[in-house]
Amino acid sequence: MTKRGKLEIMRDILEVIQKNKNFIKPTPLLRRSNLSSIRFKEYYSDLLERELIKEIKDKENKNITLTEKGFKFLERYKSIINFIDEFDL
């Protein structure tokens, strides 16, 4: 089993959000990301800083959604992977 790289982990986190109807709470996202809480916080902060995700807060809850930039990241990532697979690189 190979380790996931930074881009793969970012993609995985974004896909979890997307597959959850683009709306998820932090704790389920942590569990589904398959990362330690320390590493998750690092990636989570990075995704927020890069504006790939955003937090929506109401009185009691905090939820996470993808931004347009986050959706674009996933599209381009898939295009790059398809290109690599097509040419057996």
Side-chain angles (χ1 to χ4, degrees):
M1 179 189 245
T2 61
K3 288 187 175 184
R4 295 182 292 173
K6 181 176 181 174
L7 291 177
E8 291 169 313
I9 293 170
M10 290 171 69
R11 180 218 46 213
D12 290 347
I13 293 171
L14 296 176
E15 282 184 340
V16 168
I17 298 167
Q18 184 181 41
K19 289 177 182 175
N20 203 67
K21 299 180 182 172
N22 195 33
F23 204 73
I24 192 168
K25 293 181 188 220
T27 304
L29 180 59
L30 165 63
R31 288 186 193 128
R32 294 179 190 167
S33 68
N34 200 25
L35 294 168
S36 69
S37 59
I38 294 169
R39 290 206 53 208
F40 175 78
K41 287 177 187 176
E42 292 170 6
Y43 282 98
Y44 184 78
S45 295
D46 193 29
L47 292 169
L48 279 171
E49 187 178 304
R50 294 175 188 272
E51 299 179 350
L52 297 173
I53 62 172
K54 66 180 176 181
E55 297 176 340
I56 298 175
K57 298 176 186 176
D58 61 22
K59 294 177 186 177
E60 301 171 10
N61 297 309
K62 176 170 62 171
N63 290 289
I64 302 147
T65 65
L66 294 179
T67 62
E68 280 300 314
K69 196 173 177 183
F71 282 110
K72 190 177 279 189
F73 175 93
L74 287 175
E75 284 178 33
R76 296 233 172 120
Y77 188 93
K78 289 174 187 174
S79 295
I80 291 168
I81 295 303
N82 289 337
F83 175 82
I84 290 169
D85 288 345
E86 184 178 336
F87 291 97
D88 294 323
L89 301 175

